[in-house]
Amino acid sequence: NDPTNVRGFDLSITANGNIGAVTDVMTGAVDALRTQVNVIHLDTGAQGDQVAISNSGTLTIGTPLRIPADGKVYLQANGNLDAHRVSAPATGDLALLASGVLQLPTDALTTTGNLRLEGQTDVLSSGATPRSIAANAGSLRFVTGSQGGDTQLNSQTGNLYVSSGAHDLVIENQGQLSMVDVIGTGNIDFTNDSGFVANNFITSGTDKTLRLTAEDGDITILGAMAGNSSLSVELAANNGDVTLAQHAGGLKSLSIEATNISLVGATTNGGAQSYKGATRLGGTYMTNGGSFTIEGATQLTDSTAIVTGNGNVRLQTVDGEQELIIANGTGTVRFSDAVGASEALAS
């Protein structure tokens, strides 16, 4: 059976009420009007606060969409979706989904509610720099195929999920992030103006760089920073601390700069591990031939093993009532300050 409700070329809908029903734009819990048209004009009138459209084929939103400030809008196209005339409800929710290319307004879509933007082929802005996307929301989900080149996302949100299917990804966010997940295939450069808590940063590309920066605040990584053993990771927390809650593995190299650094182990594939700041160590640190360096005081929080193959080891002050094992083959070991002066090591 064909579930399509309306067919045509140019469709105008004026309703003094809802057009479809929206429960949750982020999960797709909607009861959508199913259409097969090229252009659609929508007006919910004074009483409507929900719009849900699912179109078979490419769709253009023909006129500016009017919706109350706390409304919910879900627009999906099985093809390209030209939504450059759509603005977000100020305190409501908006989802724009395309199985092809999603075309957005030049100016940032802005809401204090939920915002979901997905273009499986690409997401583009209508402005002079189409690969630079601006979006602001309480919670933002951004998915792009990025088939046309690198993507830059300029966002302001407290909860962020980003997925890019190709090329490099640059993200500049503003606001205290309570959670962020980023998945890509190329280089990832992520900057937040304050501290942030992250679940996962993952890129599947070969010989890529993951660069994470908090301009003023702490960085906490709860999950994985993952590559395919050829990922170089650089973390910098200006005026803040860096905490890795899990063993950092599957990396080529790891560099961290912060006031305080807390680790539970790391494995790099021939590349250096470099830590600049007061560093808390516990667990195993393997470099497979790379060097291991800490510029700052080291505090052992648990039994610690530094295994470099033939890589050099450079440490300054080391304290903590724990075991420290260094296996460096033909590499050198250097302590440039006292070991166990404040707290004697267990061995």
Side-chain angles (χ1 to χ4, degrees):
N1 295 329
D2 189 347
T4 303
N5 302 123
V6 182
R7 287 186 175 86
F9 179 82
D10 193 319
L11 174 64
S12 295
I13 301 177
T14 300
N16 194 26
N18 296 336
I19 303 171
V22 181
T23 301
D24 190 338
V25 300
M26 302 302 265
T27 64
V30 301
D31 183 10
L33 176 68
R34 298 183 179 277
T35 61
Q36 189 174 341
V37 299
N38 295 91
V39 182
I40 196 167
H41 310 269
L42 299 168
D43 186 354
T44 62
Q47 302 301 316
D49 63 359
Q50 297 184 18
V51 174
I53 300 288
S54 180
N55 192 72
S56 177
T58 293
L59 179 64
T60 297
I61 308 303
T63 54
L65 176 62
R66 297 191 303 166
I67 196 78
D70 60 350
K72 297 181 178 181
V73 179
Y74 179 95
L75 301 174
Q76 182 268 333
N78 183 21
N80 299 334
L81 175 58
D82 184 347
H84 79 272
R85 294 183 178 90
V86 173
S87 57
T91 60
D93 300 338
L94 172 64
L96 301 173
L97 315 176
S99 64
V101 176
L102 173 60
Q103 191 81 33
L104 296 175
T106 301
D107 297 332
L109 289 168
T110 300
T111 176
T112 59
N114 298 313
L115 181 58
R116 180 181 176 189
L117 306 174
E118 298 187 13
Q120 297 303 318
T121 301
D122 223 330
V123 177
L124 301 174
S125 165
S126 298
T129 54
R131 306 212 61 81
S132 180
I133 311 299
N136 307 318
S139 182
L140 173 60
R141 177 182 173 88
F142 180 85
V143 177
T144 176
S146 292
Q147 294 300 306
D150 301 342
T151 294
Q152 176 165 339
L153 174 64
N154 300 297
S155 57
Q156 184 172 339
T157 184
N159 193 307
L160 179 63
Y161 175 90
V162 178
S163 177
S164 174
H167 297 98
D168 296 343
L169 182 60
V170 177
I171 303 170
E172 295 185 3
N173 187 72
Q174 297 181 26
Q176 189 75 35
L177 272 167
S178 60
M179 188 55 65
V180 56
D181 284 88
V182 179
I183 301 171
T185 62
N187 299 310
I188 297 175
D189 194 330
F190 179 89
T191 302
N192 200 58
D193 66 343
S194 57
F196 60 90
V197 178
N199 191 17
N200 297 299
F201 281 91
I202 299 172
T203 181
S204 59
T206 301
D207 292 325
K208 302 303 180 181
T209 297
L210 170 62
R211 185 176 292 108
L212 309 179
T213 304
E215 293 182 338
D216 188 8
D218 302 336
I219 298 176
T220 300
I221 310 294
L222 301 177
M225 297 183 297
N228 55 6
S229 299
S230 64
L231 177 65
S232 298
V233 174
E234 302 173 9
L235 282 72
N238 299 325
N239 301 314
D241 304 336
V242 168
T243 300
L244 305 187
Q246 294 188 19
H247 184 102
L251 309 178
K252 180 180 180 180
S253 63
L254 176 60
S255 173
I256 300 178
E257 183 172 350
T259 302
N260 298 289
I261 302 168
S262 295
L263 308 167
V264 293
T267 300
T268 50
N269 185 29
Q273 292 186 35
S274 175
Y275 308 105
K276 187 174 183 179
T279 303
R280 295 168 63 86
L281 294 183
T284 300
Y285 301 83
M286 299 183 66
T287 67
N288 293 291
S291 61
F292 184 95
T293 303
I294 295 179
E295 295 183 42
T298 298
Q299 180 72 34
L300 303 182
T301 61
D302 202 345
S303 177
T304 300
I306 300 172
V307 183
T308 65
N310 295 319
N312 298 330
V313 177
R314 298 287 184 269
L315 302 172
Q316 296 181 354
T317 300
V318 180
D319 285 297
E321 299 174 352
Q322 303 292 336
E323 178 184 47
L324 175 62
I325 299 171
I326 299 177
N328 63 315
T330 60
T332 61
V333 177
R334 179 181 177 185
F335 295 92
S336 62
D337 214 323
V339 176
S342 298
E343 292 179 302
L345 276 58
S347 63

